[in-house]
Amino acid sequence: MKRRKFIKKSLLGGAAITMPFVLPSGRLFASSGNRMADHVVFVAFAGGVRQQESVLQRYLDDSQAYPSAGNIMYNILDGAPPTDKIVYGTTNYVNGDTPIPKMLSQTLQQQGTFFKEVNASVVGHYAGVNTLLTGNYMFTQGLRNKPLTPTIFEYLRRLTGEKATKTWFIGNGIGNSIPLLDYSTHSDYGAQYGANFLAPIVTFGNSGDKHLKNAKVYHPEEELDPMYKMKYFLDNVWYSQGSALPNIGNTEEEKLQIKQFVRDMFQKKDSGSIAFPPISDSGDLQTIGYACEVLKRFKPTLTVIYLSNVDGCHGNFSSYLRSLHRADHGVGHLWDFIQNQVPEMSGNTTMIVAPEHGRNDDPNGIKDANAFYGYDHSDSNSQRIFNMMVGPGIDSNLSIGNENNKVGDIVNIAPTIAEILGFKNDIVNTGLLASNQSFFDLI
Amino acid sequence: MHIFRKFIFLISFLLLFSCNKEEPVYQLNQINSSSYNANKNKLKSTMQYISILYANLFQTALSSNELVEITNCIESIGDKEVAHEIVLSNFMNSQQVLIPSDSLMRSDLNHFIEETYKRFYVRDISEAERKFFIDFFESNPNVSSEMVYMAFALSNEYQFY
């Protein structure tokens, strides 16, 4: 009898210890690791960047057979800029003749760890960003479909219990199915763990001015409260027989904060006080400015910023060089803004910068106004990218790999973000990643 | 005698056939009534939602340019509930929006809520729904017709067809 009682108690006790419990956030267990930083900002330096004009600093020397080499990304990379045939800057006398002044006193390369030659097996825009965000190659997935495996936003929210407004995906537009990447269709994850997507140059652009700016401001208690009570009644009746709608799980308070943010941005835009970089003459740079505002307002745990102006390289190489130079300027401004304008994130944020894929070795035959050839993305040169990491606990001034020695893969980025935010073991235990290695494992 | 027989036959004939009582026939009148939830099982696309909502509120069609612009605005914000609310409240700021006045609403709450269900949900109100709204309107005298329209336009049933 005593033995039976003992076994019963042991089983109950054991079950209590081992049984997972579901927290309100939907997570099953506490995250198992320590954070290296409380915030990650990942800049998908996207649109297809050639190693030759970025890491290898060959400017026109390689691409256009014109003997002018140099570094046009001098906030991110060490190296002197080119001195001949300058087309990438702002315009003084002729198009692009004036390089944008350097933002950072120390390059990100000096401040962080730089993987110079990384593999990216997919070379399409949507597939590339999809892989960056999911840590999985989506070989069977086309455009206009949500990711099949969870995004890093969903892992973060489900495995660590983060709120919706702590995860942001900021795109420089709504093309290329980019808005679909805020969450996946995976049955264990999905909308309720998604990120808040924002394409600010659309929201706060001409269309937004016309259709969003004059939104009524309803009183929270006197108007919104009864309005929501009626809506909840209607929704409850509907749920008894109808289908549920995807919902990323912003609480009412968070929704109010987002609406307030939208209102405030229109006002700041009118007063010219958006935190744009010193030069903000492109969609990418405008996006960076609004991303700074999101960081300042919400202090997100994870922010992914998608830039893609360099995609103009297909038919306008000069424009590609300008976009590359501006993306570097934007990244410099972003890092400077985090360190100096957002005290809660200063010294407590890791920034990762990586392209979604590269570009071809050979030109496509399309000449621009400077008689420069354009480049597509389809050959093995397009599978070459870099990865830069800077932040607390990350080795400074460390470069790994070279043109003849690839180290790392694009699928290592998702576990790297998880490791920085202290849930790498949890994400690995899901068994859903293509690689369990982070970039830290490759140092 | 012969005449008498004829008379008897005539009386018998009348008795047999003239008093045949017709049986009543009961029938049901046809009433047009849409089913509960009206078999809506398809989610409206953003474009469908906006064009239907606009036509509903303004009683006129939205231009194709504006439809694309508004759709882009909604696509640019991830939380669709938030995006819809901002677009809808922008509509409500227009002078052209056609909403019954609050005094008209309060003058006949039953009629107002019946018509609102038909206008937004294309179905009849159930008695349970009627009771909720009438009680709600009576206990919340400051609820306006605009707030009711906002609630219906943002509700999940309105997203389906």
Side-chain angles (χ1 to χ4, degrees):
Chain A
M1 188 65 184
K2 274 183 181 173
R3 185 171 170 271
R4 192 183 275 178
K5 211 172 181 179
F6 170 76
I7 291 170
K8 192 179 167 188
K9 280 186 175 175
S10 301
L11 285 173
L12 283 172
I17 292 164
T18 55
M19 186 113 88
F21 56 95
V22 181
L23 298 177
S25 58
R27 62 186 283 212
L28 295 175
F29 297 97
S31 56
S32 55
N34 294 322
R35 286 185 165 185
M36 295 168 66
D38 286 330
H39 310 274
V40 170
V41 176
F42 172 30
V43 183
F45 205 82
V49 177
R50 287 179 93 227
Q51 288 286 89
Q52 285 83 348
E53 288 79 45
S54 54
V55 176
L56 302 172
Q57 304 180 12
R58 292 177 187 157
Y59 190 44
L60 302 175
D61 200 16
D62 180 286
S63 59
Q64 310 301 331
Y66 183 86
S68 177
N71 176 20
I72 62 171
M73 297 167 59
Y74 36 67
N75 289 293
I76 297 177
L77 306 172
D78 291 342
T83 52
D84 188 18
K85 203 144 185 162
I86 307 303
V87 300
Y88 55 82
T90 53
T91 300
N92 196 5
Y93 297 107
V94 292
N95 269 349
D97 63 354
T98 310
I100 302 171
K102 192 176 174 186
M103 286 285 308
L104 302 175
S105 55
Q106 256 197 320
T107 63
L108 295 186
Q109 187 173 353
Q110 288 162 2
Q111 295 182 52
T113 296
F114 183 33
F115 285 78
K116 295 175 100 169
E117 195 76 33
V118 173
N119 181 63
S121 290
V122 290
V123 296
H125 297 302
Y126 184 67
V129 194
N130 204 331
T131 308
L132 284 171
L133 295 178
T134 61
N136 264 291
Y137 283 119
M138 299 295 194
F139 292 117
T140 57
Q141 180 158 4
L143 292 173
R144 303 173 73 90
N145 287 298
K146 280 199 163 287
L148 300 173
T149 56
T151 60
I152 189 68
F153 309 117
E154 294 161 82
Y155 288 123
L156 173 68
R157 288 193 59 202
R158 185 177 163 138
L159 300 173
T160 75
E162 285 290 1
K163 295 197 305 182
T165 48
K166 289 294 176 186
T167 54
W168 284 83
F169 178 34
I170 302 167
N172 77 337
I174 55 174
N176 285 333
S177 302
I178 293 302
L180 297 180
L181 289 166
D182 51 355
Y183 60 86
S184 72
T185 56
H186 194 281
S187 55
D188 294 335
Y189 291 81
Q192 70 269 37
Y193 303 112
N196 271 297
F197 175 75
L198 182 69
I201 57 173
V202 178
T203 311
F204 306 112
N206 292 338
S207 297
D209 272 340
K210 242 171 115 179
H211 303 289
L212 302 176
K213 187 179 176 181
N214 295 318
K216 260 190 177 179
V217 182
Y218 291 106
H219 192 280
E221 285 90 35
E222 289 171 16
E223 293 176 304
L224 283 179
D225 186 51
M227 203 187 295
Y228 287 152
K229 276 182 182 153
M230 288 185 279
K231 178 182 157 18
Y232 293 147
F233 169 77
L234 295 168
D235 288 347
N236 281 333
V237 172
W238 171 250
Y239 288 144
S240 65
Q241 295 209 355
S243 315
L245 274 176
N247 185 327
I248 64 169
N250 282 310
T251 61
E252 292 309 331
E253 192 188 345
E254 287 177 299
K255 284 178 189 170
L256 270 176
Q257 288 172 349
I258 295 170
K259 285 183 278 182
Q260 188 63 48
F261 175 77
V262 171
R263 271 196 292 278
D264 292 349
M265 287 308 105
F266 279 116
Q267 283 175 4
K268 287 192 90 170
K269 184 187 161 195
D270 286 347
S271 63
S273 56
I274 299 285
F276 291 131
I279 302 296
S280 56
D281 59 359
S282 72
D284 278 354
L285 292 174
Q286 300 256 321
T287 301
I288 289 276
Y290 286 108
C292 288
E293 296 290 348
V294 168
L295 297 181
K296 195 166 178 66
R297 180 69 60 95
F298 295 97
K299 286 99 189 170
T301 303
L302 174 61
T303 311
V304 176
I305 303 167
Y306 177 72
L307 309 176
S308 71
N309 280 169
V310 293
D311 195 30
C313 191
H314 289 286
N316 191 332
F317 194 80
S318 305
S319 158
Y320 158 76
L321 294 173
R322 281 178 209 131
S323 298
L324 207 50
H325 187 56
R326 278 155 180 74
D328 170 80
H329 176 63
V331 169
H333 171 74
L334 185 65
W335 189 239
D336 181 66
F337 187 85
I338 291 167
Q339 302 310 322
N340 296 304
Q341 304 293 325
V342 194
E344 299 87 347
M345 293 177 71
S346 173
N348 193 14
T349 299
T350 294
M351 186 161 73
I352 299 173
V353 181
E356 61 191 347
H357 56 72
R359 281 191 176 269
N360 288 355
D361 202 19
D362 296 320
N364 61 15
I366 302 173
K367 281 185 181 177
D368 66 15
N370 286 317
F372 294 162
Y373 287 107
Y375 285 80
D376 301 326
H377 39 90
S378 55
D379 69 13
S380 60
N381 197 63
S382 303
Q383 296 180 325
R384 300 170 61 193
I385 61 167
F386 63 86
N387 182 65
M388 177 73 76
M389 307 187 295
V390 56
I394 292 173
D395 292 333
S396 60
N397 212 16
L398 176 65
S399 288
I400 295 166
N402 58 52
E403 203 171 351
N404 303 312
N405 178 28
K406 271 190 181 179
V407 180
D409 193 286
I410 192 170
V411 294
N412 299 132
I413 292 175
T416 301
I417 293 171
E419 184 160 349
I420 294 164
L421 294 175
F423 66 101
K424 189 188 167 205
N425 288 341
D426 307 288
I427 200 171
V428 166
N429 288 337
T430 64
L432 295 170
L433 295 177
S435 169
N436 294 335
Q437 284 191 310
S438 71
F439 277 101
F440 300 109
D441 296 324
L442 304 172
I443 295 174
Chain B
M1 192 63 192
H2 185 71
I3 291 170
F4 180 72
R5 276 183 186 167
K6 276 185 177 172
F7 179 74
I8 293 295
F9 176 76
L10 187 64
I11 293 295
S12 304
F13 182 82
L14 286 172
L15 281 172
L16 274 170
F17 296 101
S18 64
C19 296
N20 191 11
K21 190 184 172 190
E22 256 187 44
E23 287 295 320
V25 176
Y26 296 99
Q27 290 180 317
L28 293 173
N29 291 329
Q30 286 272 335
I31 298 174
N32 289 324
S33 171
S34 37
S35 66
Y36 180 58
N37 283 352
N39 299 320
K40 297 166 194 157
N41 53 18
K42 290 179 187 161
L43 187 62
K44 290 173 188 167
S45 67
T46 303
M47 279 196 168
Q48 285 170 330
Y49 172 74
I50 286 302
S51 52
I52 293 168
L53 176 62
Y54 189 90
N56 202 336
L57 294 178
F58 294 90
Q59 304 291 306
T60 182
L62 184 62
S63 76
S64 53
N65 277 352
E66 288 193 310
L67 179 59
V68 170
E69 287 169 3
I70 296 172
T71 302
N72 287 348
C73 286
I74 290 175
E75 292 291 315
S76 76
I77 299 173
D79 189 320
K80 297 302 170 222
E81 280 193 22
V82 171
H84 289 169
E85 193 178 316
I86 296 172
V87 167
L88 184 54
S89 64
N90 204 74
F91 284 166
M92 291 300 184
N93 250 346
S94 166
Q95 298 293 320
Q96 280 77 44
V97 70
L98 296 171
I99 299 181
S101 67
D102 292 345
S103 56
L104 194 65
M105 166 191 161
R106 292 280 164 187
S107 67
D108 191 345
L109 292 174
N110 259 304
H111 181 69
F112 169 78
I113 196 62
E114 276 173 15
E115 288 303 308
T116 305
Y117 264 82
K118 283 178 186 160
R119 186 167 179 170
F120 283 91
Y121 289 172
V122 201
R123 70 172 173 87
D124 297 312
I125 189 170
S126 71
E127 285 311 306
E129 289 166 328
R130 184 195 305 278
K131 174 149 183 27
F132 168 83
F133 274 103
I134 299 297
D135 289 352
F136 191 79
F137 293 154
E138 284 172 354
S139 56
N140 292 276
N142 292 326
V143 166
S144 65
S145 53
E146 179 182 325
M147 287 153 70
V148 179
Y149 272 35
M150 284 286 289
F152 272 79
L154 293 172
S155 71
N156 288 339
E157 185 173 344
Y158 194 59
Q159 309 288 331
F160 287 83
Y161 70 100

